Amino acid sequence: SRVMPDEGSSHVSEGTRVVYDSNPPTSGDHWPTPLRDGVYDTEKPDEGAVHGLEHGRIWITYKPDIGEEAVNALLEAMKGQFGVIISPRAANDTDIALAAWMRLDTFDLPEDGILDTKRILDFTMRYRNKGPEYVPQMVGKTYE
């Protein structure tokens, strides 16, 4: 994983679009209410997810076209993990992106399509709850 620059942590009013330096973002201005932990099958706003990262969450995003098998492997691997947000994100540069506060790991699926679940779990264990604000309980909303 790479250490990413600190883009700040100011609140901007909900609905404000923020331009981030990294893709996906790992810090920066964000909406006042964090995106709630959980598994989503629709895209979620970066500005809500970044607030989750500030609270120590891990945000796992995948390109929507990676295929059902890879998505299922991801969900299976992350079953029972807390403090995690999983969502599709078409804007990703790679098939999979693992984001934590000021940390990023991005990679494509190999030719055999087998997801490297160990890499995802290692990142989750290493960087969960390392954000500048420790908020262990689930807060926020789902931005439906």
Side-chain angles (χ1 to χ4, degrees):
S1 75
R2 316 188 283 289
V3 177
M4 305 304 285
D6 186 347
E7 294 187 50
S9 60
S10 299
H11 286 184
V12 294
S13 56
E14 186 175 317
T16 304
R17 302 264 58 126
V18 177
V19 176
Y20 296 100
D21 292 338
S22 76
N23 183 22
T26 62
S27 67
D29 292 352
H30 52 264
W31 295 349
T33 306
L35 175 62
R36 184 181 283 268
D37 302 359
V39 175
Y40 300 101
D41 52 15
T42 56
E43 297 216 15
K44 295 298 171 181
D46 290 353
E47 297 84 358
V50 169
H51 195 160
L53 299 180
E54 185 183 35
H55 289 181
R57 297 312 189 257
I58 302 296
W59 185 26
I60 302 169
T61 55
Y62 58 89
K63 279 199 169 158
D65 62 0
I66 62 168
E68 205 175 323
E69 224 169 293
V71 173
N72 288 340
L74 170 62
L75 299 183
E76 190 59 39
M78 297 311 291
K79 203 172 263 176
Q81 291 293 330
F82 65 92
V84 174
I85 299 164
I86 301 175
S87 64
R89 189 172 179 276
N92 277 7
D93 294 325
T94 56
D95 291 337
I96 304 289
L98 312 175
W101 188 258
M102 292 175 53
R103 280 273 168 188
L104 186 62
D105 186 16
T106 57
F107 57 96
D108 287 318
L109 292 177
E111 276 182 34
D112 63 11
I114 303 295
L115 182 68
D116 187 348
T117 53
K118 183 182 183 312
R119 182 172 180 171
I120 297 171
L121 284 165
D122 285 350
F123 183 95
T124 301
M125 300 304 181
R126 190 165 288 148
Y127 301 115
R128 179 172 42 209
N129 289 333
K130 298 283 170 64
E133 294 178 8
Y134 177 63
V135 181
Q137 74 276 21
M138 194 187 287
V139 296
K141 61 183 184 180
T142 56
Y143 290 103
E144 290 310 334

